[in-house]
Amino acid sequence: MTDPSPYVSDRPASGCPVVGNSAAAQLYGPDFATDPRMTYHYLRRFGPVAPVELAPGVEAMLVTDYDAALQVLRSPKTFVKDARRWQALAEGRVPPDSPVLAMMEWKPSSLFADGERHRRLRTAVRESIDRLDQHTLRKYVTRSADKLIDGFGPAGQADLMRDYSALLPLRVCIALAGFPSSYEDIVLAATAGVMNASGPEAARLSEEFLGHLYDLVAHKRRQPGADLTSWLMAHEAGLTDDELVGELYLLIGAGTQPEQAFIGNVLRLLLVDRRFAGDFYNGTMGVEEALDEVLWVDPPMANFSVHFALHDVHLGGVLVPAGVPTLISHAAVTEQLSMLPGQRIGNRAHLAWGAGPHACPVQDEARMIAAIAVERLLDRIPDMALAVHPDGLRWRQGPFARCPESLPVFFPPDFSALAEDSARTAPPGWGSALAPARPNEDSDQGSNGDWRRRFWATISRNGA
């Protein structure tokens, strides 16, 4: 990877919370996307939990304190997941085209289940995932990553969010679900649309995606295979078709949006942070350390884990009304914990994966996929630089996922083919002898050297 110094900014991000007529801070809009920490600091004035607005007309409570978060996450008899208890939605006070409904409205899946039903569905999911052959999964993720890199590598430029981070988890989840290869483009379009659209268009695409899932279930009833859908279908829990579709919708949704944010945030860290880029290039730090840093500093799901109090509850002296969505700010509580003495790298005390009965059931697989995605990209194209100043990156708007909207990079366009050949003979990892020469080395000659001189000159001009 190139020295990121021309693009590194040591200035803290600016911004302030956008506050309406009440104390409820807005978790949407460009100011919140740019600097959510300012909003979290403002909310802490009100105690461990404070009123927020997730989208226009959508009120909620946000937990910003670590101990209070654990109290919510680990108290299933007080705080439940069943979104049918959302009082404002039941009374028609939530705009029907609100962009948060796709993530928060009740569905027949374990995410919105409690008690015995939750245990039954979660056990079926976890035991079906346990049937995955990890070696085969690693090979499939690697092949999928290579296919995407082969697509943009010859161009010498890419948007790593659009062309890589957003597509790789989707392809993996679609394959694990058992969709026929002929469905891949159709399902990719439908799922990507659900993630990126809002209002009536999101509802239409969601219905279209659900239709594909029901088709898949019907197909697997006739012809089961070695895939998650067939294993869920055969599980002793006896899932109905609606429950199967609900779990598949959840697995694909939870396996894509948070995962693409995770991969994108790690790649951004390596491109803009002197500590990590320099240590990676020198071989003194690995991808696992970068994953830990992101989970502490920019967890992919910044605010989620929606719960509903069964009755009015006080958290740290603050009233949490029954029937009001109560979200955990994974970003805020992790930031609070990171202020304490101790080493972040290798420390898994953060709440990026949640906690309690609804903690992410596939966090090990999610971490493995992200690690392979990052390692494979950097093995194939190590000489890469951000194409804009870090301050020019825009963050995805909305209350839930935290990641850049785009991550434009450029690199020597002939490297992809060289790396594809060298990968057969060189072990993966940083510092390979077959990696492109640095710009001041003797191999910076000929046509490739000419391109690299222009490449570094462009970096210098843009960073000036």
Side-chain angles (χ1 to χ4, degrees), residues 262 288 291-292 295 348 363-371:
F262 192 12
E288 291 295 328
L291 299 180
D292 281 338
L295 292 172
R348 306 292 171 87
Q363 54 187 274
D364 290 340
E365 289 80 6
R367 187 182 179 98
M368 181 187 73
I369 291 169

Side-chain angles (χ1 to χ4, degrees), residues 249-261:
Y249 191 99
L250 172 61
L251 285 168
I252 294 176
T256 52
Q257 183 163 322
E259 189 72 4
Q260 60 188 240

Side-chain angles (χ1 to χ4, degrees), residues 101-374:
L101 284 178
M103 296 283 285
M104 293 178 61
E105 200 168 19
W106 184 87
K107 298 175 186 65
S109 74
S110 55
L111 180 63
F112 300 95
D114 298 292
E116 181 54 37
R117 183 167 182 271
H118 172 254
R119 285 189 290 273
R120 181 175 69 88
L121 295 174
R122 186 181 174 99
T123 298
V125 169
R126 186 59 256 177
E127 291 182 355
S128 296
I129 290 172
D130 285 342
R131 296 181 63 175
L132 287 171
D133 179 80
Q134 296 298 303
H135 179 67
T136 301
L137 177 58
R138 287 178 176 275
K139 287 174 62 177
Y140 184 80
V141 176
T142 300
R143 285 199 303 269
S144 299
D146 281 338
K147 185 175 180 180
L148 291 171
I149 296 167
D150 289 342
F152 61 73
Q157 59 184 356
D159 178 347
L160 294 182
M161 293 303 300
R162 180 195 63 205
D163 302 328
Y164 193 65
S165 300
L167 293 178
L168 180 57
L170 263 177
R171 291 184 185 275
V172 172
C173 289
I174 288 170
L176 294 179
F179 274 104
S181 58
S182 58
Y183 268 64
E184 185 178 85
D185 290 341
I186 297 172
V187 178
L188 278 173
T191 51
V194 171
M195 299 299 175
N196 297 324
S198 61
E201 179 65 6
R204 183 188 69 79
L205 290 166
S206 180
E207 287 298 317
E208 181 181 326
F209 180 38
L210 287 171
H212 294 316
L213 291 174
Y214 276 106
D215 288 345
L216 175 65
V217 168
H219 173 73
K220 293 299 177 181
R221 291 282 188 199
R222 297 189 301 267
Q223 299 179 31
D227 51 68
L228 286 178
T229 302
S230 300
W231 295 333
L232 280 169
M233 196 174 291
H235 195 274
E236 63 182 6
L239 275 64
T240 66
D241 282 4
D242 287 345
E243 289 175 331
L244 281 166
V245 167
E247 292 308 312
L248 291 171
Y249 191 99
L250 172 61
L251 285 168
I252 294 176
T256 52
Q257 183 163 322
E259 189 72 4
Q260 60 188 240
F262 192 12
I263 296 170
N265 286 347
V266 174
L267 291 174
R268 173 191 169 274
L269 178 73
L270 299 178
L271 287 162
V272 307
D273 193 304
R274 282 191 182 92
R275 298 169 302 154
F276 282 85
D279 289 343
F280 267 107
Y281 190 82
N282 294 324
T284 60
M285 188 175 289
V287 168
E288 291 295 328
E289 285 83 352
L291 299 180
D292 281 338
E293 178 75 4
V294 162
L295 292 172
W296 276 96
V297 176
D298 273 317
M301 295 303 287
N303 306 292
F304 202 53
S305 298
V306 186
H307 288 73
F308 299 87
L310 290 176
H311 50 79
D312 290 356
V313 179
H314 283 85
L315 282 178
V318 179
L319 174 66
V320 177
V324 174
T326 301
L327 284 73
I328 306 299
S329 178
H330 302 283
V333 300
T334 298
E335 179 189 35
Q336 179 194 38
L337 192 63
S338 69
M339 296 175 185
L340 301 176
Q343 176 71 20
R344 285 204 298 259
I345 302 303
N347 187 337
R348 306 292 171 87
H350 56 72
L351 294 182
W353 304 113
H358 279 271
C360 176
V362 293
Q363 54 187 274
D364 290 340
E365 289 80 6
R367 187 182 179 98
M368 181 187 73
I369 291 169
I372 295 172
V374 173

Side-chain angles (χ1 to χ4, degrees), residues 373-437:
V374 173
E375 288 170 348
R376 194 60 184 155
L377 179 65
L378 301 181
D379 286 340
R380 292 283 304 273
I381 312 179
D383 216 2
M384 177 190 309
L386 197 61
V388 298
H389 193 282
D391 291 347
L393 291 174
R394 293 194 302 267
W395 291 87
R396 181 179 295 175
Q397 295 192 30
F400 305 127
R402 167 73 175 170
C403 65
E405 283 187 352
S406 64
L407 201 57
V409 296
F410 63 134
F411 44 86
D414 60 339
F415 177 75
S416 180
L418 293 174
E420 189 173 4
D421 292 335
S422 66
R424 299 190 183 95
T425 56
W430 289 90
S432 168
L434 296 174

